[in-house]
């Protein structure tokens, strides 16, 4: 993972947005299969009411974290 930002909605602090930046799709796929991620995922299942994964592209590709 190159970077992670977590923010909450000021009007509803139970709504979180997490932006994670990976070097590649492969790096992301390895991360979600890792033991520490699986422990986190299984430990928070009861807390997550909905989840939306959004694949995005940088607005300014020349500023992309490398």
């Amino acid at each position: 993972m190159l970077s992670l930002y977590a923010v909450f909605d000021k009007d509803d602090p139970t709504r979180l947005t997490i932006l994670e930046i990976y070097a590649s799709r492969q790096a992301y796929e390895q991360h979600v299969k890792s033991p520490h991620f699986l422990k986190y995922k299984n430990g928070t299942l009861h807390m997550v009411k909905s989840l939306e994964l959004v694949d995005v592209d940088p607005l300014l590709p020349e500023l992309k974290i490398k």
Side-chain angles (χ1 to χ4, degrees), residues 19-42:
L19 171 65
E20 298 177 346
I21 301 172
Y22 294 87
S24 65
R25 166 69 71 180
Q26 181 183 11
Y28 167 75
E29 290 172 4
Q30 287 177 334
H31 171 69
V32 298
K33 293 176 185 172
S34 68
H36 73 276
F37 178 82
L38 294 173
K39 180 179 178 183
Y40 151 78
K41 188 72 171 170
N42 290 323

PDB file of all heavy atoms in Angstrom, residues 19-42:
ATOM      1  N   LEU A  19      -9.714   5.758   1.519  1.00  0.00           N
ATOM      2  CA  LEU A  19      -9.036   5.774   0.232  1.00  0.00           C
ATOM      3  C   LEU A  19      -7.699   5.087   0.421  1.00  0.00           C
ATOM      4  O   LEU A  19      -6.875   5.529   1.220  1.00  0.00           O
ATOM      5  CB  LEU A  19      -8.834   7.204  -0.263  1.00  0.00           C
ATOM      6  CG  LEU A  19      -7.942   7.362  -1.490  1.00  0.00           C
ATOM      7  CD1 LEU A  19      -8.574   6.695  -2.708  1.00  0.00           C
ATOM      8  CD2 LEU A  19      -7.650   8.829  -1.756  1.00  0.00           C
ATOM      9  N   GLU A  20      -7.501   3.996  -0.280  1.00  0.00           N
ATOM     10  CA  GLU A  20      -6.242   3.264  -0.237  1.00  0.00           C
ATOM     11  C   GLU A  20      -5.624   3.309  -1.624  1.00  0.00           C
ATOM     12  O   GLU A  20      -6.310   3.107  -2.618  1.00  0.00           O
ATOM     13  CB  GLU A  20      -6.468   1.815   0.174  1.00  0.00           C
ATOM     14  CG  GLU A  20      -7.058   1.671   1.550  1.00  0.00           C
ATOM     15  CD  GLU A  20      -7.346   0.228   1.930  1.00  0.00           C
ATOM     16  OE1 GLU A  20      -7.336  -0.649   1.038  1.00  0.00           O
ATOM     17  OE2 GLU A  20      -7.573  -0.028   3.104  1.00  0.00           O
ATOM     18  N   ILE A  21      -4.329   3.586  -1.665  1.00  0.00           N
ATOM     19  CA  ILE A  21      -3.630   3.666  -2.940  1.00  0.00           C
ATOM     20  C   ILE A  21      -2.580   2.564  -2.977  1.00  0.00           C
ATOM     21  O   ILE A  21      -1.746   2.462  -2.068  1.00  0.00           O
ATOM     22  CB  ILE A  21      -2.979   5.048  -3.124  1.00  0.00           C
ATOM     23  CG1 ILE A  21      -4.056   6.139  -3.073  1.00  0.00           C
ATOM     24  CG2 ILE A  21      -2.204   5.105  -4.444  1.00  0.00           C
ATOM     25  CD1 ILE A  21      -3.505   7.548  -3.043  1.00  0.00           C
ATOM     26  N   TYR A  22      -2.661   1.750  -4.016  1.00  0.00           N
ATOM     27  CA  TYR A  22      -1.744   0.623  -4.204  1.00  0.00           C
ATOM     28  C   TYR A  22      -0.903   0.834  -5.448  1.00  0.00           C
ATOM     29  O   TYR A  22      -1.323   1.531  -6.379  1.00  0.00           O
ATOM     30  CB  TYR A  22      -2.541  -0.689  -4.328  1.00  0.00           C
ATOM     31  CG  TYR A  22      -3.243  -1.043  -3.055  1.00  0.00           C
ATOM     32  CD1 TYR A  22      -4.506  -0.536  -2.779  1.00  0.00           C
ATOM     33  CD2 TYR A  22      -2.641  -1.844  -2.108  1.00  0.00           C
ATOM     34  CE1 TYR A  22      -5.150  -0.831  -1.596  1.00  0.00           C
ATOM     35  CE2 TYR A  22      -3.272  -2.144  -0.923  1.00  0.00           C
ATOM     36  CZ  TYR A  22      -4.525  -1.634  -0.666  1.00  0.00           C
ATOM     37  OH  TYR A  22      -5.151  -1.926   0.514  1.00  0.00           O
ATOM     38  N   ALA A  23       0.242   0.218  -5.490  1.00  0.00           N
ATOM     39  CA  ALA A  23       1.135   0.334  -6.646  1.00  0.00           C
ATOM     40  C   ALA A  23       0.537  -0.317  -7.877  1.00  0.00           C
ATOM     41  O   ALA A  23       0.823   0.093  -9.004  1.00  0.00           O
ATOM     42  CB  ALA A  23       2.490  -0.273  -6.319  1.00  0.00           C
ATOM     43  N   SER A  24      -0.299  -1.338  -7.663  1.00  0.00           N
ATOM     44  CA  SER A  24      -0.875  -2.073  -8.795  1.00  0.00           C
ATOM     45  C   SER A  24      -2.088  -2.864  -8.322  1.00  0.00           C
ATOM     46  O   SER A  24      -2.315  -3.020  -7.126  1.00  0.00           O
ATOM     47  CB  SER A  24       0.162  -3.042  -9.377  1.00  0.00           C
ATOM     48  OG  SER A  24       0.478  -4.046  -8.413  1.00  0.00           O
ATOM     49  N   ARG A  25      -2.834  -3.378  -9.260  1.00  0.00           N
ATOM     50  CA  ARG A  25      -3.965  -4.259  -8.950  1.00  0.00           C
ATOM     51  C   ARG A  25      -3.458  -5.489  -8.201  1.00  0.00           C
ATOM     52  O   ARG A  25      -4.070  -5.960  -7.255  1.00  0.00           O
ATOM     53  CB  ARG A  25      -4.678  -4.648 -10.247  1.00  0.00           C
ATOM     54  CG  ARG A  25      -5.662  -5.802 -10.129  1.00  0.00           C
ATOM     55  CD  ARG A  25      -6.880  -5.486  -9.336  1.00  0.00           C
ATOM     56  NE  ARG A  25      -7.737  -4.585 -10.070  1.00  0.00           N
ATOM     57  CZ  ARG A  25      -8.892  -4.149  -9.593  1.00  0.00           C
ATOM     58  NH1 ARG A  25      -9.331  -4.559  -8.430  1.00  0.00           N
ATOM     59  NH2 ARG A  25      -9.615  -3.315 -10.275  1.00  0.00           N
ATOM     60  N   GLN A  26      -2.317  -6.013  -8.632  1.00  0.00           N
ATOM     61  CA  GLN A  26      -1.731  -7.194  -7.991  1.00  0.00           C
ATOM     62  C   GLN A  26      -1.401  -6.910  -6.523  1.00  0.00           C
ATOM     63  O   GLN A  26      -1.647  -7.734  -5.652  1.00  0.00           O
ATOM     64  CB  GLN A  26      -0.480  -7.646  -8.736  1.00  0.00           C
ATOM     65  CG  GLN A  26       0.162  -8.871  -8.136  1.00  0.00           C
ATOM     66  CD  GLN A  26       1.449  -9.278  -8.838  1.00  0.00           C
ATOM     67  OE1 GLN A  26       1.989  -8.527  -9.652  1.00  0.00           O
ATOM     68  NE2 GLN A  26       1.931 -10.455  -8.539  1.00  0.00           N
ATOM     69  N   ALA A  27      -0.871  -5.728  -6.241  1.00  0.00           N
ATOM     70  CA  ALA A  27      -0.552  -5.359  -4.855  1.00  0.00           C
ATOM     71  C   ALA A  27      -1.823  -5.320  -4.007  1.00  0.00           C
ATOM     72  O   ALA A  27      -1.834  -5.774  -2.857  1.00  0.00           O
ATOM     73  CB  ALA A  27       0.157  -4.018  -4.821  1.00  0.00           C
ATOM     74  N   TYR A  28      -2.912  -4.786  -4.565  1.00  0.00           N
ATOM     75  CA  TYR A  28      -4.192  -4.754  -3.858  1.00  0.00           C
ATOM     76  C   TYR A  28      -4.685  -6.173  -3.591  1.00  0.00           C
ATOM     77  O   TYR A  28      -5.095  -6.496  -2.471  1.00  0.00           O
ATOM     78  CB  TYR A  28      -5.237  -3.974  -4.660  1.00  0.00           C
ATOM     79  CG  TYR A  28      -6.636  -4.175  -4.137  1.00  0.00           C
ATOM     80  CD1 TYR A  28      -7.060  -3.561  -2.967  1.00  0.00           C
ATOM     81  CD2 TYR A  28      -7.524  -5.012  -4.796  1.00  0.00           C
ATOM     82  CE1 TYR A  28      -8.334  -3.763  -2.469  1.00  0.00           C
ATOM     83  CE2 TYR A  28      -8.812  -5.220  -4.309  1.00  0.00           C
ATOM     84  CZ  TYR A  28      -9.201  -4.593  -3.150  1.00  0.00           C
ATOM     85  OH  TYR A  28     -10.464  -4.807  -2.666  1.00  0.00           O
ATOM     86  N   GLU A  29      -4.652  -7.013  -4.614  1.00  0.00           N
ATOM     87  CA  GLU A  29      -5.137  -8.392  -4.465  1.00  0.00           C
ATOM     88  C   GLU A  29      -4.321  -9.165  -3.436  1.00  0.00           C
ATOM     89  O   GLU A  29      -4.874  -9.958  -2.666  1.00  0.00           O
ATOM     90  CB  GLU A  29      -5.143  -9.082  -5.821  1.00  0.00           C
ATOM     91  CG  GLU A  29      -6.226  -8.511  -6.733  1.00  0.00           C
ATOM     92  CD  GLU A  29      -6.178  -9.019  -8.163  1.00  0.00           C
ATOM     93  OE1 GLU A  29      -5.339  -9.885  -8.479  1.00  0.00           O
ATOM     94  OE2 GLU A  29      -6.993  -8.531  -8.973  1.00  0.00           O
ATOM     95  N   GLN A  30      -3.029  -8.937  -3.378  1.00  0.00           N
ATOM     96  CA  GLN A  30      -2.197  -9.584  -2.352  1.00  0.00           C
ATOM     97  C   GLN A  30      -2.578  -9.076  -0.967  1.00  0.00           C
ATOM     98  O   GLN A  30      -2.628  -9.835  -0.005  1.00  0.00           O
ATOM     99  CB  GLN A  30      -0.718  -9.330  -2.623  1.00  0.00           C
ATOM    100  CG  GLN A  30      -0.180 -10.108  -3.798  1.00  0.00           C
ATOM    101  CD  GLN A  30       1.272  -9.778  -4.085  1.00  0.00           C
ATOM    102  OE1 GLN A  30       1.764  -8.696  -3.776  1.00  0.00           O
ATOM    103  NE2 GLN A  30       1.959 -10.727  -4.705  1.00  0.00           N
ATOM    104  N   HIS A  31      -2.837  -7.788  -0.866  1.00  0.00           N
ATOM    105  CA  HIS A  31      -3.210  -7.195   0.425  1.00  0.00           C
ATOM    106  C   HIS A  31      -4.489  -7.822   0.983  1.00  0.00           C
ATOM    107  O   HIS A  31      -4.539  -8.182   2.164  1.00  0.00           O
ATOM    108  CB  HIS A  31      -3.380  -5.685   0.278  1.00  0.00           C
ATOM    109  CG  HIS A  31      -3.969  -5.030   1.479  1.00  0.00           C
ATOM    110  ND1 HIS A  31      -3.290  -4.915   2.676  1.00  0.00           N
ATOM    111  CD2 HIS A  31      -5.185  -4.468   1.684  1.00  0.00           C
ATOM    112  CE1 HIS A  31      -4.063  -4.310   3.562  1.00  0.00           C
ATOM    113  NE2 HIS A  31      -5.218  -4.026   2.983  1.00  0.00           N
ATOM    114  N   VAL A  32      -5.528  -7.959   0.154  1.00  0.00           N
ATOM    115  CA  VAL A  32      -6.803  -8.464   0.665  1.00  0.00           C
ATOM    116  C   VAL A  32      -6.757  -9.956   0.985  1.00  0.00           C
ATOM    117  O   VAL A  32      -7.682 -10.471   1.601  1.00  0.00           O
ATOM    118  CB  VAL A  32      -7.993  -8.137  -0.263  1.00  0.00           C
ATOM    119  CG1 VAL A  32      -8.178  -6.637  -0.385  1.00  0.00           C
ATOM    120  CG2 VAL A  32      -7.848  -8.778  -1.625  1.00  0.00           C
ATOM    121  N   LYS A  33      -5.691 -10.634   0.605  1.00  0.00           N
ATOM    122  CA  LYS A  33      -5.513 -12.048   0.952  1.00  0.00           C
ATOM    123  C   LYS A  33      -4.558 -12.235   2.138  1.00  0.00           C
ATOM    124  O   LYS A  33      -4.376 -13.354   2.602  1.00  0.00           O
ATOM    125  CB  LYS A  33      -4.966 -12.810  -0.257  1.00  0.00           C
ATOM    126  CG  LYS A  33      -5.937 -12.890  -1.411  1.00  0.00           C
ATOM    127  CD  LYS A  33      -5.307 -13.571  -2.607  1.00  0.00           C
ATOM    128  CE  LYS A  33      -6.237 -13.546  -3.812  1.00  0.00           C
ATOM    129  NZ  LYS A  33      -5.574 -14.029  -5.028  1.00  0.00           N
ATOM    130  N   SER A  34      -3.979 -11.148   2.623  1.00  0.00           N
ATOM    131  CA  SER A  34      -2.985 -11.238   3.693  1.00  0.00           C
ATOM    132  C   SER A  34      -3.647 -11.578   5.034  1.00  0.00           C
ATOM    133  O   SER A  34      -4.798 -11.220   5.279  1.00  0.00           O
ATOM    134  CB  SER A  34      -2.214  -9.931   3.812  1.00  0.00           C
ATOM    135  OG  SER A  34      -3.053  -8.899   4.276  1.00  0.00           O
ATOM    136  N   PRO A  35      -2.914 -12.269   5.910  1.00  0.00           N
ATOM    137  CA  PRO A  35      -3.475 -12.636   7.217  1.00  0.00           C
ATOM    138  C   PRO A  35      -3.953 -11.439   8.043  1.00  0.00           C
ATOM    139  O   PRO A  35      -5.008 -11.501   8.664  1.00  0.00           O
ATOM    140  CB  PRO A  35      -2.317 -13.360   7.914  1.00  0.00           C
ATOM    141  CG  PRO A  35      -1.473 -13.885   6.795  1.00  0.00           C
ATOM    142  CD  PRO A  35      -1.585 -12.860   5.703  1.00  0.00           C
ATOM    143  N   HIS A  36      -3.203 -10.338   8.053  1.00  0.00           N
ATOM    144  CA  HIS A  36      -3.625  -9.188   8.869  1.00  0.00           C
ATOM    145  C   HIS A  36      -4.894  -8.550   8.317  1.00  0.00           C
ATOM    146  O   HIS A  36      -5.747  -8.113   9.085  1.00  0.00           O
ATOM    147  CB  HIS A  36      -2.500  -8.158   9.017  1.00  0.00           C
ATOM    148  CG  HIS A  36      -2.218  -7.354   7.794  1.00  0.00           C
ATOM    149  ND1 HIS A  36      -1.393  -7.803   6.784  1.00  0.00           N
ATOM    150  CD2 HIS A  36      -2.654  -6.131   7.414  1.00  0.00           C
ATOM    151  CE1 HIS A  36      -1.335  -6.884   5.836  1.00  0.00           C
ATOM    152  NE2 HIS A  36      -2.091  -5.866   6.193  1.00  0.00           N
ATOM    153  N   PHE A  37      -5.059  -8.520   6.994  1.00  0.00           N
ATOM    154  CA  PHE A  37      -6.290  -7.956   6.426  1.00  0.00           C
ATOM    155  C   PHE A  37      -7.464  -8.875   6.722  1.00  0.00           C
ATOM    156  O   PHE A  37      -8.544  -8.407   7.094  1.00  0.00           O
ATOM    157  CB  PHE A  37      -6.170  -7.734   4.915  1.00  0.00           C
ATOM    158  CG  PHE A  37      -7.449  -7.212   4.329  1.00  0.00           C
ATOM    159  CD1 PHE A  37      -7.754  -5.868   4.390  1.00  0.00           C
ATOM    160  CD2 PHE A  37      -8.373  -8.068   3.746  1.00  0.00           C
ATOM    161  CE1 PHE A  37      -8.946  -5.378   3.873  1.00  0.00           C
ATOM    162  CE2 PHE A  37      -9.567  -7.590   3.226  1.00  0.00           C
ATOM    163  CZ  PHE A  37      -9.854  -6.239   3.293  1.00  0.00           C
ATOM    164  N   LEU A  38      -7.290 -10.174   6.556  1.00  0.00           N
ATOM    165  CA  LEU A  38      -8.380 -11.116   6.819  1.00  0.00           C
ATOM    166  C   LEU A  38      -8.808 -11.076   8.282  1.00  0.00           C
ATOM    167  O   LEU A  38      -9.997 -11.160   8.590  1.00  0.00           O
ATOM    168  CB  LEU A  38      -7.973 -12.527   6.398  1.00  0.00           C
ATOM    169  CG  LEU A  38      -7.759 -12.695   4.887  1.00  0.00           C
ATOM    170  CD1 LEU A  38      -7.189 -14.071   4.583  1.00  0.00           C
ATOM    171  CD2 LEU A  38      -9.041 -12.442   4.121  1.00  0.00           C
ATOM    172  N   LYS A  39      -7.843 -10.879   9.194  1.00  0.00           N
ATOM    173  CA  LYS A  39      -8.178 -10.745  10.613  1.00  0.00           C
ATOM    174  C   LYS A  39      -9.020  -9.493  10.829  1.00  0.00           C
ATOM    175  O   LYS A  39     -10.041  -9.519  11.530  1.00  0.00           O
ATOM    176  CB  LYS A  39      -6.901 -10.678  11.449  1.00  0.00           C
ATOM    177  CG  LYS A  39      -7.153 -10.535  12.920  1.00  0.00           C
ATOM    178  CD  LYS A  39      -5.862 -10.485  13.705  1.00  0.00           C
ATOM    179  CE  LYS A  39      -6.133 -10.283  15.183  1.00  0.00           C
ATOM    180  NZ  LYS A  39      -4.905 -10.172  15.958  1.00  0.00           N
ATOM    181  N   TYR A  40      -8.609  -8.375  10.222  1.00  0.00           N
ATOM    182  CA  TYR A  40      -9.370  -7.130  10.314  1.00  0.00           C
ATOM    183  C   TYR A  40     -10.776  -7.314   9.731  1.00  0.00           C
ATOM    184  O   TYR A  40     -11.765  -6.934  10.345  1.00  0.00           O
ATOM    185  CB  TYR A  40      -8.632  -6.009   9.583  1.00  0.00           C
ATOM    186  CG  TYR A  40      -9.545  -4.950   9.018  1.00  0.00           C
ATOM    187  CD1 TYR A  40     -10.098  -3.978   9.837  1.00  0.00           C
ATOM    188  CD2 TYR A  40      -9.877  -4.947   7.670  1.00  0.00           C
ATOM    189  CE1 TYR A  40     -10.965  -3.019   9.328  1.00  0.00           C
ATOM    190  CE2 TYR A  40     -10.733  -3.998   7.148  1.00  0.00           C
ATOM    191  CZ  TYR A  40     -11.275  -3.038   7.983  1.00  0.00           C
ATOM    192  OH  TYR A  40     -12.134  -2.108   7.468  1.00  0.00           O
ATOM    193  N   LYS A  41     -10.848  -7.893   8.538  1.00  0.00           N
ATOM    194  CA  LYS A  41     -12.124  -8.050   7.837  1.00  0.00           C
ATOM    195  C   LYS A  41     -13.103  -8.890   8.673  1.00  0.00           C
ATOM    196  O   LYS A  41     -14.249  -8.504   8.862  1.00  0.00           O
ATOM    197  CB  LYS A  41     -11.873  -8.706   6.482  1.00  0.00           C
ATOM    198  CG  LYS A  41     -13.059  -8.763   5.579  1.00  0.00           C
ATOM    199  CD  LYS A  41     -13.397  -7.402   5.045  1.00  0.00           C
ATOM    200  CE  LYS A  41     -14.452  -7.511   3.984  1.00  0.00           C
ATOM    201  NZ  LYS A  41     -14.979  -6.242   3.597  1.00  0.00           N
ATOM    202  N   ASN A  42     -12.626 -10.016   9.171  1.00  0.00           N
ATOM    203  CA  ASN A  42     -13.486 -10.889   9.973  1.00  0.00           C
ATOM    204  C   ASN A  42     -13.850 -10.255  11.314  1.00  0.00           C
ATOM    205  O   ASN A  42     -14.950 -10.468  11.823  1.00  0.00           O
ATOM    206  CB  ASN A  42     -12.822 -12.247  10.181  1.00  0.00           C
ATOM    207  CG  ASN A  42     -12.772 -13.048   8.899  1.00  0.00           C
ATOM    208  OD1 ASN A  42     -13.693 -13.006   8.090  1.00  0.00           O
ATOM    209  ND2 ASN A  42     -11.684 -13.765   8.692  1.00  0.00           N
TER     210      ASN A  42
END
